[in-house]
Amino acid sequence: MKTVTIVVSVYNEEEALPEFYRVTKEVLEQVDWEYELLFVNDGSRDGSLAVLQHLAENDDRVKLISFSRNFGHEAAMIAGLDYSSGDMVICMDADLQHPPQCIPEILQAAEAGYDVVNMVRTKNSSAGFLKRITSAGFYKVINALADVSFEENASDFFAVSRKAVEVLKHSYREKVRFLRGYVQNLGFKRINLEYEAGVRVAGKSKYSMKKLFTFAVNTILCFSNLPLKLGIYAGIFSGALGFLVMIYTIWTWTQVGTPDGYATIVVLLCFMFAMLFLIVGIIGEYIAILFSELKDRPIYIVDFTTNIVQKRDR
Ligand code: UDP
Ligand code: MG
């Protein structure tokens, strides 16, 4: 019999967890796959850990990895992939926004030979207007800039086969990363399935607008080198502008004598410096990414695990 690992990242979800466990368990009991429920406690500050430990004590299909502190959703998913043992791994949120009812459909796709199952949101009832607009804008920008393409409305709800897990585990250990983007660009046999994002069962979203913005900028930087070329275009542009101004100045000099260009100088100076600083800033961002890559600090630190026998092979 084949096994499926459900990876669930948990950060302050004590209220949502019992309901999540109940619903997911119910669905998993009905499919004819072996299963393990792998929870990653991402340094929760509420009672989530106690709830998870309680679940793990009473059900040995519940596995638990507990981080030493909060490392973020992506790190939690990567840890889940690292420690998973299933032939298929499904990543989902603990707040039931990713309906467990989709699991049988995902497993059907897996049985049909698909290696990557990408869950695409058709409706996001809980996201506000601003979040929807910015999300759409983000995908427009990234698709225009990056050399790979991204599915709009894709989510952190996806399933990958063992083959794909091994690739993600070993070859995508970047420090600044976008797991969802990697999943979509792995290749293999891939299918998109639709789902309707539910409302959070309890608690509130952990992603602030500021976090999302940093996330968006990092994603653009790590999937595209185009911003670096901005310097070249800016150079050509200011060179051309300078040349035109020079011709104009010589012409006025021959006609009316030495020109008085105080305002022009100030405006141009501000404009040029703004462009220069912007480009230096962009280069700085890339250097920051290089630096964190070079330091090679761990993506996550595990405090302890429960019910996990196999050693992480990485
Ligand atoms: N999460 C996490 N670490 C974090 C933030 C979030 O593991 O630092 C988990 C969270 O518990 C949830 C999932 O990631 O299971 C998605 O988070 P959330 O629901 O807050 O995001 P949203 O659905 O609002 O995008
Ligand atoms: Mg959510």
Side-chain angles (χ1 to χ4, degrees):
M1 209 197 251
K2 287 195 160 183
T3 316
V4 57
T5 304
I6 314 283
V7 171
V8 190
S9 44
V10 177
Y11 178 58
N12 299 347
E13 304 280 7
E14 65 175 338
E15 293 144 69
L17 279 172
E19 180 67 3
F20 174 85
Y21 174 73
R22 195 185 60 76
V23 177
T24 312
K25 182 99 180 159
E26 209 175 276
V27 174
L28 286 169
E29 289 296 342
Q30 281 160 16
V31 296
D32 46 353
W33 283 58
E34 267 304 323
Y35 66 87
E36 59 173 3
L37 261 171
L38 178 54
F39 289 98
V40 184
N41 172 40
D42 185 14
S44 299
R45 285 160 206 265
D46 65 352
S48 299
L49 184 58
V51 176
L52 290 174
Q53 277 175 317
H54 179 75
L55 292 178
E57 266 162 37
N58 296 304
D59 182 349
D60 57 12
R61 282 176 165 150
V62 171
K63 322 253 150 137
L64 172 61
I65 304 167
S66 194
F67 283 177
S68 62
R69 62 167 167 86
N70 180 258
F71 282 91
H73 185 194
E74 294 245 323
M77 285 192 288
I78 290 175
L81 294 175
D82 287 347
Y83 282 85
S84 68
S85 64
D87 302 294
M88 200 72 193
V89 178
I90 305 179
C91 285
M92 55 200 296
D93 289 359
D95 55 7
L96 286 176
Q97 280 189 307
H98 298 160
Q101 289 77 6
C102 294
I103 293 173
E105 201 187 346
I106 295 175
L107 295 179
Q108 259 170 24
E111 278 160 11
Y114 286 101
D115 288 298
V116 179
V117 183
N118 198 20
M119 303 302 287
V120 180
R121 262 191 315 247
T122 51
K123 203 171 112 191
N124 196 356
S125 22
S126 72
F129 177 72
L130 192 63
K131 200 163 176 177
R132 253 178 284 174
I133 289 283
T134 45
S135 161
F138 164 69
Y139 279 106
K140 289 266 173 326
V141 174
I142 186 86
N143 274 329
L145 291 179
D147 38 8
V148 289
S149 76
F150 293 88
E151 199 70 52
E152 217 173 298
N153 291 324
S155 55
D156 286 319
F157 187 17
F158 57 81
V160 275
S161 70
R162 179 64 17 208
K163 198 156 66 178
V165 170
E166 292 304 318
V167 177
L168 286 173
K169 244 163 85 166
H170 297 291
S171 315
Y172 284 89
R173 308 299 291 195
E174 285 153 57
K175 300 293 179 284
V176 177
R177 69 199 104 71
F178 187 47
L179 196 55
R180 203 187 302 175
Y182 303 150
V183 169
Q184 286 171 36
N185 292 290
L186 280 177
F188 296 125
K189 231 180 133 194
R190 189 177 77 130
I191 187 174
N192 284 347
L193 295 179
E194 291 187 340
Y195 79 100
E196 208 171 284
V199 225
R200 240 179 185 283
V201 269
K204 53 180 193 299
S205 175
K206 313 295 180 301
Y207 280 107
S208 60
M209 244 18 217
K210 187 175 160 236
K211 253 191 188 171
L212 284 174
F213 181 73
T214 320
F215 194 62
V217 170
N218 279 341
T219 306
I220 291 171
L221 297 178
C222 86
F223 276 95
S224 171
N225 290 335
L226 225 56
L228 279 175
K229 302 211 169 77
L230 208 64
I232 300 174
Y233 301 130
I236 294 171
F237 173 74
S238 33
L241 190 71
F243 187 69
L244 289 179
V245 173
M246 184 183 76
I247 297 204
Y248 172 76
T249 314
I250 293 173
W251 181 78
T252 2
W253 177 62
T254 55
Q255 300 302 310
V256 287
T258 313
D260 170 29
Y262 174 74
T264 322
I265 289 171
V266 172
V267 169
L268 275 184
L269 219 59
C270 284
F271 177 70
M272 289 299 164
F273 270 108
M275 209 146 66
L276 200 63
F277 289 148
L278 187 77
I279 291 159
V280 171
I282 291 173
I283 296 173
E285 289 289 333
Y286 280 95
I287 292 177
I289 293 179
L290 276 179
F291 192 39
S292 61
E293 233 21 88
L294 203 66
K295 284 187 286 192
D296 199 26
R297 296 206 177 130
I299 295 176
Y300 58 84
I301 299 169
V302 175
D303 183 7
F304 63 88
T305 63
T306 313
N307 289 349
I308 292 179
V309 277
Q310 80 275 14
K311 189 93 185 78
R312 184 176 65 131
D313 63 350
R314 199 183 177 279

